[in-house]
Amino acid sequence: MSSIQETQNQIVEEINIFDDWMDKYNYIIELAKDLPLIDAQHKTNQYLIDGCQSKVWINADLVDEKVHYTADSDAIITKGIIALLIRVMNDRTPSELVDIDLFFLEEIGLKENLSPNRANGLVAMIKQMKLYALAFKTKLGQ
Amino acid sequence: MFDVTAIRSDFPILNRTVYKRPLVYFDNGATTQKPKIVLDVLEKYYLENNSNIHRAVHHLSQQCTDAYEASRKTIQQYIGAKKVEEIVFTSGTTESINLVAFSFGEAFVNSGDEILISYLEHHSNIVPWQLMAERKGAVIKTIPMNEKGELVLDDLEKLLTKKTKIVTLGHVSNALGTINPVKQIIEKAHQKNIPVLVDGAQAVQHMKVDVQDLDADFYVFSGHKVFGPTGIGVLYGKEEWLENLPPYKGGGDMIKRVSFEKTTYADLPLKFEAGTTHYIGAIGLKVALDYVQSIGLNAISAYENELRLYLEKALNSIEEIKIYGTSEYKAATVSFGLKGAHPSDVGTLLNRLDIAVRTGSHCTQPLMEYYGIPGTVRASLAFYNTKEEIDYFVESLKRVIPMFS
Ligand SMILES: Cc1ncc(COP(=O)(O)O)c(C=O)c1O
């Protein structure tokens, strides 16, 4: 399995093939369509992250001491970005995730989607993903 | 003759490119762009004439005071108020509504009283009343709406009870563009001696408003939505109402005489203008209103209506699109959903095509809940928009639609 660093580099490379932003978004939308469904029991208000415009649900399980995320969103671009985050963050140890540097978001030019008002729940979502990791870390006594 | 090319050249920002091509600005409901003459007057006053108003005998202060008061006069005439004292400067629609909700509540509302609010309202015309109702133990009631985005007045008589203290509603819905029958509602309310506040934030930039003809008791709007500066707004109130409301904020300029035993308040309108107002903004607003009137509000309404119908016709021909707000009476705002797409997705993609639209609930969550949708994509037009821009907008939507299938 690639390291966090390598996976991010791969994503940057894949997306930066496209010059046109519409193509980049098309690619992100295709990723959204491939994101595995979140378990229905986790698509409830309890798992809802209060973003600005779209809804985001996220759950994490600890499997063999690695964090396994599932998520969904009612906005497909948001969901595609989640798919990217999950690709980078899934099946890592809680310690790795707690202070992960998600540099790829900036490198693919999605940073403007991270400004508070356009966040579509993304900032909140990254925070929540890290919080899950922190909770697992504490639980494991790492 | 309505010369949109000449008009566009008055607005420097319309020449800018965002990513690749000239900006298509369809977010005028949120704020409008400013003609250069408004920007020039702001600069001129800061560079050459700046001095605090109403407080000094020197030349600059007098100049600013005169210009500030001239703006009040222009506003009076712009909305057809009887007296210049009935025009109060605030920071915007939101503050104007908060002022009335607070002061009216203090003076006239008691436990068990009712406030009647239209279902179409912007949060700015809901929350201040809720705060007041909570403080006073009053109850909020609503005028219902129908599927077309119109207010349903069948039960209005019944909703106007002995306990109703005030009715508040928008002149034009910011989310759907519906023009509400405010005159008719005011007439009904007045039959029972109930005053009415009209939120004109989305009206004064689109059509001729005459507060005396409407017989509105309060009428409010924001400078920045009518091609003026941000941070300046207007509260119109009938003199007899304003006289009977207690001040909202205390401070300088709103007093006659201050002593620790008793303070007496200034006469209208200064009673409600505590502290240093955004006087240069007010001066800029005058220039904006003069500019609008030089084009002519009737010409503006006619041109904008043509644009709206053109846009609606194009959108109606696209199967995946559903327009929300289908009243016969509309200002130049078109809200819609795109099948299979979240509004924010559509907005994000259109942004990359250099189109600025607003997506989401437009600060009207109850309204979105009525339709059972998370929000809409809203194209809100102004008189500087063109059919060519609409063509590009529709073309862009057609480009975006397949991405969701
Ligand atoms: C109908 C309506 N009322 C009130 C407001 C609030 O205006 P402001 O933010 O300028 O106070 C808006 C602005 O979006 C509006 O459209």
Side-chain angles (χ1 to χ4, degrees):
Chain A
M1 184 177 169
S2 323
S3 71
I4 287 175
Q5 176 91 21
E6 285 162 359
T7 311
Q8 293 194 78
N9 285 336
Q10 283 161 15
I11 291 173
V12 172
E13 217 171 282
E14 285 166 25
I15 291 191
N16 286 350
I17 288 174
F18 304 109
D19 288 333
D20 189 332
W21 262 94
M22 297 308 273
D23 297 328
K24 293 188 198 205
Y25 276 124
N26 217 358
Y27 178 78
I28 290 170
I29 288 170
E30 291 308 315
L31 292 176
K33 292 176 185 164
D34 295 338
L35 186 70
L37 289 182
I38 191 171
D39 205 293
Q41 63 167 328
H42 295 135
K43 211 171 157 176
T44 59
N45 280 346
Q46 196 194 331
Y47 294 86
L48 186 65
I49 293 165
D50 255 335
C52 187
Q53 291 201 12
S54 55
K55 290 182 175 170
V56 173
W57 298 266
I58 172 157
N59 176 50
D61 295 308
L62 194 60
V63 182
D64 297 335
E65 304 204 346
K66 303 261 174 74
V67 183
H68 190 82
Y69 295 102
T70 49
D72 197 3
S73 171
D74 61 348
I76 197 152
I77 293 175
T78 308
K79 190 172 170 183
I81 296 170
I82 297 170
L84 290 171
L85 285 169
I86 288 185
R87 187 165 144 203
V88 174
M89 295 172 75
N90 241 12
D91 303 320
R92 311 285 180 190
T93 65
S95 300
E96 279 180 295
L97 293 170
V98 167
D99 33 42
I100 188 169
D101 171 21
L102 295 164
F103 63 86
F104 80 100
L105 290 167
E106 189 160 352
E107 290 196 11
I108 62 180
L110 273 175
K111 198 150 188 248
E112 69 179 69
N113 285 297
L114 294 176
S115 70
N117 284 323
R118 303 196 54 208
N120 301 335
L122 214 63
V123 167
M125 178 168 138
I126 293 170
K127 198 168 138 202
Q128 184 59 41
M129 291 175 88
K130 288 185 177 180
L131 275 177
Y132 275 122
L134 186 64
F136 290 135
K137 185 178 165 179
T138 313
K139 192 167 142 198
L140 291 173
Q142 278 182 354
Chain B
M1 181 51 210
F2 196 86
D3 184 354
V4 72
T5 313
I7 287 170
R8 287 180 73 80
S9 69
D10 295 332
F11 291 82
I13 204 172
L14 298 178
N15 287 319
R16 73 156 285 182
T17 298
V18 180
Y19 296 108
K20 281 192 188 153
R21 43 158 291 144
L23 165 70
V24 172
Y25 187 75
F26 281 2
D27 194 16
N28 295 287
T31 198
T32 52
Q33 302 303 346
K34 321 304 171 200
K36 178 118 192 332
I37 47 169
V38 169
L39 306 173
D40 287 345
V41 80
L42 299 180
E43 189 180 24
K44 175 173 144 54
Y45 267 82
Y46 279 119
L47 281 175
E48 297 172 16
N49 298 345
N50 181 42
S51 185
N52 208 335
I53 53 170
H54 293 150
R55 289 180 192 180
V57 293
H58 59 76
H59 180 74
L60 293 188
S61 175
Q62 196 53 50
Q63 251 186 348
C64 277
T65 306
D66 289 349
Y68 182 72
E69 292 304 327
S71 175
R72 204 190 299 278
K73 190 89 199 143
T74 297
I75 293 161
Q76 177 206 351
Q77 167 266 321
Y78 190 88
I79 60 170
K82 198 192 299 176
K83 296 185 174 178
V84 73
E85 293 80 8
E86 296 175 321
I87 306 300
V88 176
F89 283 113
T90 65
S91 66
T93 305
T94 301
E95 193 190 26
S96 298
I97 297 172
N98 274 278
L99 190 164
V100 177
F102 178 87
S103 295
F104 188 91
E106 287 305 298
F108 299 110
V109 180
N110 295 303
S111 177
D113 286 344
E114 295 168 4
I115 318 293
L116 186 59
I117 305 184
S118 110
Y119 211 86
L120 299 170
E121 293 316 293
H122 189 282
H123 297 163
S124 285
N125 200 16
I126 301 175
V127 184
W129 302 103
Q130 286 176 325
L131 289 171
M132 183 264 271
E134 233 165 75
R135 220 171 40 242
K136 294 287 166 183
V139 182
I140 305 282
K141 296 244 168 128
T142 55
I143 306 175
M145 61 179 279
N146 65 21
E147 190 66 28
K148 287 162 97 178
E150 300 169 323
L151 291 176
V152 178
L153 303 184
D154 301 351
D155 290 333
L156 186 59
E157 301 278 354
K158 267 185 261 161
L159 285 167
L160 295 164
T161 72
K162 283 203 179 74
K163 291 186 167 171
T164 311
K165 281 297 153 81
I166 191 166
V167 178
T168 186
L169 81 160
H171 199 165
V172 173
S173 154
N174 68 306
L176 306 178
T178 318
I179 302 173
N180 291 318
V182 287
K183 190 171 174 176
Q184 191 188 338
I185 293 170
I186 289 171
E187 202 183 319
K188 286 258 158 44
H190 283 179
Q191 282 165 8
K192 300 188 176 177
N193 294 318
I194 301 165
V196 180
L197 179 143
V198 180
D199 173 355
Q202 298 292 343
V204 290
Q205 63 279 57
H206 296 300
M207 59 206 214
K208 180 77 193 124
V209 170
D210 185 325
V211 292
Q212 287 189 76
D213 177 56
L214 294 175
D215 206 15
D217 299 281
F218 301 99
Y219 196 96
V220 302
F221 65 94
S222 298
H224 71 98
K225 292 186 199 278
V226 56
F227 315 99
T230 52
I232 188 77
V234 173
L235 161 64
Y236 157 81
K238 281 185 186 164
E239 188 180 26
E240 53 272 33
W241 280 115
L242 291 181
E243 288 287 5
N244 287 309
L245 298 190
Y248 168 58
K249 294 192 289 195
D253 250 8
M254 54 76 73
I255 44 83
K256 227 173 226 157
R257 204 188 119 68
V258 175
S259 74
F260 283 104
E261 288 72 41
K262 174 148 181 69
T263 291
T264 47
Y265 305 122
D267 293 331
L268 292 177
L270 298 188
K271 180 169 103 178
F272 294 108
E273 293 181 8
T276 299
T277 55
H278 184 15
Y279 56 92
I280 293 189
I283 295 166
L285 178 56
K286 171 181 166 54
V287 176
L289 297 181
D290 285 341
Y291 177 81
V292 171
Q293 289 184 310
S294 75
I295 300 171
L297 278 155
N298 290 336
I300 288 171
S301 297
Y303 175 72
E304 288 184 352
N305 206 42
E306 197 181 309
L307 286 185
R308 172 181 63 86
L309 293 172
Y310 185 75
L311 173 58
E312 286 180 342
K313 185 163 177 227
L315 294 181
N316 277 328
S317 72
I318 302 175
E319 200 192 311
E320 291 85 354
I321 285 179
K322 175 175 161 67
I323 295 180
Y324 294 94
T326 49
S327 173
E328 197 183 322
Y329 308 101
K330 278 182 71 175
T333 289
V334 183
S335 236
F336 61 92
L338 207 157
K339 203 169 144 201
H342 192 279
S344 77
D345 289 328
V346 182
T348 301
L349 296 173
L350 291 177
N351 169 53
R352 282 289 166 179
L353 297 170
D354 301 281
I355 296 168
V357 288
R358 189 138 297 231
T359 62
S361 68
H362 318 294
C363 296
T364 55
Q365 284 175 11
L367 178 45
M368 297 300 141
E369 273 161 32
Y370 172 90
Y371 287 117
I373 52 175
T376 66
V377 180
R378 180 188 73 178
S380 51
L381 309 176
F383 56 71
Y384 43 62
N385 291 127
T386 64
K387 285 193 180 166
E388 289 72 34
E389 288 180 309
I390 291 174
D391 289 341
Y392 174 70
F393 177 67
V394 172
E395 205 180 289
S396 300
L397 282 171
K398 286 183 178 160
R399 185 168 165 199
V400 162
I401 288 168
M403 294 173 72
F404 296 104
S405 56

